[in-house]
Amino acid sequence: MSERVRRTAGAVLAATLLLAARPPAHRVEQPRVEQLRVKVLKTFPHDPQAFTQGLEMAGGTLYEGTGLSGRSSVRAGPLGKEPTVRAALPAPLFGEGITVLGRTLWQLTWRDRTAIERDARTLAELRRVPYPDDGWGVCLQRDRNRLVTSDGSARLTFRDPGTLARTDEVTVTDDGRPVTELNELECVGGAVYANVLFTDRIVRIDPATGAVTARIDASGLLHADELVPGATLNGIAAVPGTDQFLVTGKFWPKMFKVALVPA
């Protein structure tokens, strides 16, 4: 064996022994996704003609936005009672998500490329702003002073609350897989809750990473004979000052106050 071959073999052996002596690399554990379900605390009547697109509580007022061309509206009033004020959208506008920013309220439209700013008290229209994407859900992340919006894809888009200009976006994933059909949104602290269209599922999302941190089962809230064509879960609103939520759906005759408990 030549000297060069001996030196090469010695180097390979030394490198092998060094690698063997190293401690094993630590596996990066994925954050655990909580499995939750809704526990009904109270039931309220809900307009069965409302094609619910947005739901939010601000103070003691419940706001709801509804869709369908020629039937879209925004309404507001005390929880569990008839709305005390409402505003209709003229056809062909198709109303979508809503969110309250103190004295004003944003209402998105589906494919009309328009967002409407309203007075939060009277619901009177203040202005219309161009909106370049499909409008689905919207909520205000107060600690970041930004809007979070959905467009039916797996993407959440962050926007300036005054101009609606896009500032950033994130793809929502569950165990690495994109979660599409993100619909109505609710911002609670540092988390975003999203209805997944055509399912009885709500997901809790970390908007910093897009990772789903909880899957929430909201099935079984209505009896089979209460479901009509087009009826689907859509509408989640945090109850201020509590850890409870309101949930309802398109064409649902009921709204529920719920707690989120382990499944």
Side-chain angles (χ1 to χ4, degrees), residues 4-206:
R4 177 179 295 178
V5 172
R6 281 198 297 270
R7 286 200 301 267
T8 301
V12 170
L13 177 60
T16 302
L17 293 173
L18 179 62
L19 289 173
R22 289 180 179 174
H26 292 290
R27 182 182 175 186
V28 177
E29 294 291 339
Q30 294 294 323
R32 185 175 65 87
V33 179
E34 286 190 271
Q35 306 295 326
L36 305 174
R37 64 176 177 84
V38 297
K39 177 183 178 181
V40 175
L41 305 176
K42 193 170 183 179
T43 303
F44 302 94
H46 180 250
D47 180 1
Q49 300 301 313
F51 194 75
T52 304
Q53 303 283 51
L55 196 69
E56 186 165 327
M57 279 206 76
T61 301
L62 176 66
Y63 293 84
E64 183 173 5
T66 72
L68 298 178
S69 179
R71 295 172 56 183
S72 297
S73 70
V74 184
R75 51 191 76 176
L79 174 61
K81 298 182 179 180
E82 286 290 320
T84 55
V85 59
R86 67 176 66 205
L89 274 72
L93 295 181
F94 191 120
E96 281 283 348
I98 60 168
T99 195
V100 179
L101 288 75
R103 296 182 178 180
T104 61
L105 172 151
W106 279 116
Q107 180 182 25
L108 304 184
T109 59
W110 183 28
R111 293 179 172 170
D112 302 297
R113 299 297 186 259
T114 300
I116 301 169
E117 186 179 39
R118 297 182 178 278
D119 182 288
R121 183 177 61 85
T122 66
L123 302 183
E125 183 176 322
L126 301 176
R127 60 173 173 149
R128 296 188 183 187
V129 176
Y131 192 82
D133 302 317
D134 284 2
W136 285 51
V138 58
C139 63
L140 174 65
Q141 199 174 12
R142 296 186 183 278
D143 61 337
R144 298 292 299 274
N145 191 34
R146 65 183 183 182
L147 297 179
V148 185
T149 62
S150 61
D151 61 6
S153 69
R155 177 180 64 195
L156 293 180
T157 301
F158 307 113
R159 301 180 186 274
D160 181 279
T163 66
L164 303 188
R166 176 190 172 280
T167 59
D168 205 353
E169 66 179 47
V170 68
T171 298
V172 175
T173 59
D174 185 346
D175 197 22
R177 295 182 295 272
V179 181
T180 60
E181 305 285 358
L182 298 175
N183 200 4
E184 212 266 322
L185 304 178
E186 179 74 355
C187 293
V188 182
V192 176
Y193 292 77
N195 285 266
V196 181
L197 187 61
F198 303 130
T199 76
D200 291 321
R201 184 163 53 100
I202 298 166
V203 290
R204 187 183 69 206
I205 304 160
D206 178 356

